[in-house]
Amino acid sequence: MRIVIAGAGIGGLSAALSLHAAGFTDVTVHEAARAIEPLGVGINLLPHAVRELTELGLAGRLAAIGVATAELAYFNRYGTPIWSEPRGLDAGYAWPQYSVHRGRLQLLLLEAVLERLGPGSVVTGSRITGPGDEDLLVGADGINSDVRRRLYPDEGPPPWNGLVLWRGTSHGEPYLTGRSMIMAGDGTQKFVAYPIAPGLINWIAEKPLDGEPPERGNWNRPADLAEIGRHFADWRFDWLDVPALIAGAEKAYEYPMVDRDPLPRWTFGLGEGKVTLLGDAAHAMYPIGSNGASQAIIDARVLAHALARDDLDFYEAERRPATTALQLSNRKMGPEVVMKLAHERAPHGFDDVEQVIPYEERAEIAASYKRTAGFDPASLNARPSW
């Protein structure tokens, strides 16, 4: 079976490794860029994705480039705690959670693909827009996917929710546990930070943007650090100086918060073969809950499982409803809704979060999102391997 993958991002490279592990030998990845470079900033890999990379034999390499997240904590815009929970091994998972530099992860996957599938398995400077003579084309070419556009030519640009994200990395001292991922905000304006290497902190600043954003879907548009810092000038907490962290970055990038509407169908028969979608090309979602890269990796593993069973329909039946539910949950802020609720109920701050959002409500918000996203600890630890 000849399989062509459009896109050498995290999803496309994970798909190549997964297909190779399932016994498929004629797999080629085509990447439109002329060179694959370590672009981007930090991302998170949740335990369900780390499980899949571990089963692909990449646990040691992943541990070498990532920081094992110990805690996820939410605060209001004044730095007062709303909710915190352990993550990864500390939360009872059989696998860790990692914060990593996106580009380093991509290069790790690329190195593994070239080792296992051979030096000709990744072709750069090669844009795939539709099927050729392969048996299966996998569109893993991102939020502005050419393959998706071929299937849905009237869809238009990704819809925007009115918020802009600024992303950067800064050298800084450890805070809280030293391996904490924090989110502080009021449901509209937000600041996120987590370490991705010793002394290196990835951060995301978010607020509404007036007017129409440029270049929807472009993660690499430079941003003005002084302008970002102006919007967070008074966000100084006992445990983190937000404006100082922003000012300490060498550069930052601007990105309108966009996603894609859920699709009624991913898989089509075109010509003599078939085409299906994977990752952001199939289900781009708001960057809430740290699920974008993780879901693409899971797509890749389920696709390989389905093809090994000679049942491509299983892939879509398993993944499309699950990712649709997650896309819609992220549009409602997912687990981050606790910051919005805290602001609505106590806009000027509070002394006792229990009087604002009772523990049972906060716990159910967190647990419900884990179930929706497929990383409830007990279920994940007990699930058979793909």
Side-chain angles (χ1 to χ4, degrees):
M1 183 179 191
R2 182 166 183 262
I3 303 171
V4 168
I5 300 169
I10 291 168
L13 294 171
S14 297
L17 290 170
S18 299
L19 290 163
H20 176 266
F24 295 93
T25 57
D26 192 353
V27 179
T28 308
V29 182
H30 289 255
E31 168 56 45
R34 294 191 177 278
I36 299 175
E37 299 176 336
L39 300 176
V41 285
I43 60 171
N44 285 273
L45 293 176
L46 300 179
H48 53 349
V50 175
R51 172 181 182 170
E52 304 308 332
L53 294 179
T54 298
E55 293 184 0
L56 286 170
L58 300 174
R61 298 189 196 189
L62 188 57
I65 69 165
V67 172
T69 309
E71 173 193 39
L72 170 64
Y74 295 99
F75 302 81
N76 68 5
R77 62 168 296 143
Y78 307 107
T80 307
I82 300 171
W83 171 259
S84 66
E85 61 184 55
R87 280 298 176 108
L89 300 177
D90 295 307
Y93 290 98
W95 304 270
Q97 175 173 325
Y98 286 114
S99 297
V100 301
H101 188 284
R102 183 199 175 280
R104 294 190 70 188
L105 175 61
Q106 186 179 15
L107 292 185
L108 181 158
L109 296 171
L110 174 64
E111 180 182 65
V113 169
L114 296 176
E115 288 173 0
R116 299 177 188 183
L117 280 73
S121 57
V122 179
V123 182
T124 57
S126 177
R127 182 180 295 277
I128 301 293
T129 60
D133 60 355
E134 66 277 342
D135 297 295
L136 175 65
L137 170 63
V138 180
D141 48 344
I143 192 170
N144 290 314
S145 165
D146 289 322
V147 177
R148 178 172 173 139
R149 189 176 300 116
R150 173 75 176 268
L151 301 175
Y152 293 92
D154 300 324
E155 186 174 32
W160 175 52
N161 72 350
L163 299 175
V164 64
L165 305 176
W166 294 296
R167 305 169 69 97
T169 57
S170 303
H171 292 283
E173 295 297 320
Y175 58 88
L176 300 180
T177 68
R179 295 185 289 123
S180 295
M181 178 179 185
I182 68 95
M183 300 187 187
D186 56 17
T188 301
Q189 191 166 344
K190 180 178 73 177
F191 190 81
V192 179
Y194 50 86
I196 57 173
L200 187 63
I201 299 172
N202 183 85
W203 54 263
I204 305 160
E206 172 188 315
K207 72 174 295 291
L209 177 69
D210 294 329
E212 179 66 19
E215 299 185 84
R216 298 187 190 187
N218 178 7
W219 281 100
N220 299 306
R221 178 180 172 83
D224 182 352
L225 285 166
E227 172 67 11
I228 302 169
R230 182 175 67 82
H231 297 292
F232 292 85
D234 61 346
W235 290 47
R236 289 184 172 89
F237 313 140
D238 293 342
W239 46 273
L240 186 68
D241 187 329
V242 171
L245 194 63
I246 294 171
E250 291 186 4
K251 54 188 174 182
Y253 304 95
E254 178 181 280
Y255 183 76
M257 190 183 284
V258 296
D259 66 357
R260 284 289 189 186
D261 291 329
L263 292 176
R265 185 178 177 189
W266 292 355
T267 305
F268 295 80
L270 292 179
E272 298 298 319
K274 291 186 176 181
V275 59
T276 195
L277 300 173
L278 182 148
D280 279 356
H283 50 69
M285 58 189 67
Y286 292 157
I288 287 172
S290 309
N291 259 285
S294 294
Q295 294 298 324
I297 291 166
I298 296 165
D299 286 350
R301 293 281 286 167
V302 177
L303 175 64
H305 175 87
L307 291 176
R309 294 176 28 165
D310 194 24
D311 185 7
L312 180 58
D313 291 342
F314 176 85
Y315 164 63
E316 181 166 338
E318 178 71 22
R319 294 299 297 150
R320 189 170 59 80
T323 56
T324 293
L326 191 54
Q327 286 177 287
L328 298 178
S329 177
N330 282 7
R331 286 183 173 181
K332 297 178 181 178
M333 299 185 67
E336 297 176 18
V337 74
V338 292
M339 293 184 291
K340 178 175 182 288
L341 293 175
H343 178 71
E344 289 175 347
R345 298 175 188 179
H348 303 296
F350 53 84
D351 295 320
D352 182 4
V353 68
E354 188 67 22
Q355 302 301 313
V356 181
I357 314 175
Y359 175 85
E360 290 77 10
E361 184 178 2
R362 287 174 285 147
E364 177 53 28
I365 289 170
S368 175
Y369 189 77
K370 292 183 180 73
R371 293 191 295 267
T372 299
F375 67 107
D376 169 72
S379 300
L380 177 62
N381 288 347
R383 177 179 63 75
S385 171
W386 289 116

